[in-house]
Amino acid sequence: MKVGSRHYRSIWLGADGRTVQIIDQTRLPHEFVVVDLTTLDQAAVAIRDMWVRGAPLIGATAAYGMALAMAADPSDAGLARAHDVLYATRPTAVNLRWALDEMRRVMAPLPPSERTAAAYARAAEICDEDVEINRRIGAHGLSLIQEMAARKDGPVNILTHCNAGWLATVDWGTATSPIYHAVQQGIAVHVWVDETRPRNQGAHLTAWEMASHGIPHHLITDNAGGHLMQHGQVDMVIVGTDRTTASGDVCNKIGTYLKALAAKDNGVPFYVALPSPTIDWRVHDGVREIPIEERSGDEVSFVQGKLADGSVTRLRISPEATPGANPAFDVTPARLITGLITERGVVAATAAGLAAMFPDRTGG
């Protein structure tokens, strides 16, 4: 995707071929800042403090974090420490575990002298694979938007939640990839952007993406989606996922479940854009088995914004004596999902549907 006239991925290598560069997403939309990562601990901070976020990008950053670790200490102890440090950063997104396990699988059989080069090579492949997966998700999701456009006058109104855009992946995004493909095909779309409290990734990131690409959109409060659906102003919902069970339950940013309930009640198609690395074949009951990350209550009690003088500041919105509770994700049961948009096609959110689409993966 482009920022101004320049193409960016969300993570890339610097000119030295070793430094990992990322966009500090905590500074958007008010500042565009590129950060250099040169150590394992810096990569861990970037993931934990959400300079990078979104399941696919977390996985890609973890892969490069392993490469940075091998450049400093390619021993067996260094490999084990890197895996453990990065695994502890975010418990919910399954891509993190997948990427770390894959990097360890590649490096463990190698002598230490070969691990650094192998780690950088595999991390680069993981990034390229993510871009292709998301491009193909967009191509399959495009057909759904085309079908909707053929049935109505005016733009296709799509509601999103959180940010499942190119900033959450290496490029294209998951939920936004069909939107970008539709715009490239000249299909008129309009996007309802949930603000997505408490970190406001919709307001800060999805809105920034839509504005940067000239896509018609409006920012709405998280509570407005049901009202819009009742009045026929939403044609479809497309969200992303941080972890999907083998039976089709979807764990995504807190508030996704409520949107799915409203969509079901109003007959609005509810789709989940699903890169296959987010499928956790070991888990079948999302509500009971997926660990839900509990983040700091300060994210609920404070907001970040830009003042009239142009400065960016952090403001408390609640009484000082009031603590904040902050579950970061919820689980949407498969029964509420119209379909899963994967890189291999659109599939029913069922164990049978997923197993048929990914017969080579079900061994988990």
Side-chain angles (χ1 to χ4, degrees), residues 39-54:
T39 68
L40 164 67
D41 290 339
Q42 288 175 342
V45 168
I47 297 170
R48 185 184 64 244
D49 291 354
M50 296 180 69
W51 303 355
V52 296
R53 21 70 52 206

Side-chain angles (χ1 to χ4, degrees), residues 53-68:
R53 21 70 52 206
L57 181 53
I58 287 171
T61 307
Y64 269 124
M66 292 286 277
L68 291 171

Side-chain angles (χ1 to χ4, degrees), residues 210-263:
M210 296 296 104
S212 295
H213 289 79
I215 298 174
H217 66 287
H218 283 87
L219 176 66
I220 59 173
T221 66
D222 289 340
N223 293 328
H227 165 78
L228 294 172
M229 293 181 206
Q230 283 181 327
H231 290 270
Q233 294 179 269
V234 178
D235 296 309
M236 63 173 64
V237 181
I238 309 179
V239 301
T241 174
D242 288 83
R243 184 182 299 207
T244 300
T245 71
S247 58
D249 296 338
V250 168
C251 183
N252 194 50
K253 182 59 60 180
I254 193 76
T256 303
Y257 174 46
L258 296 180
K259 292 301 184 300
L261 287 170

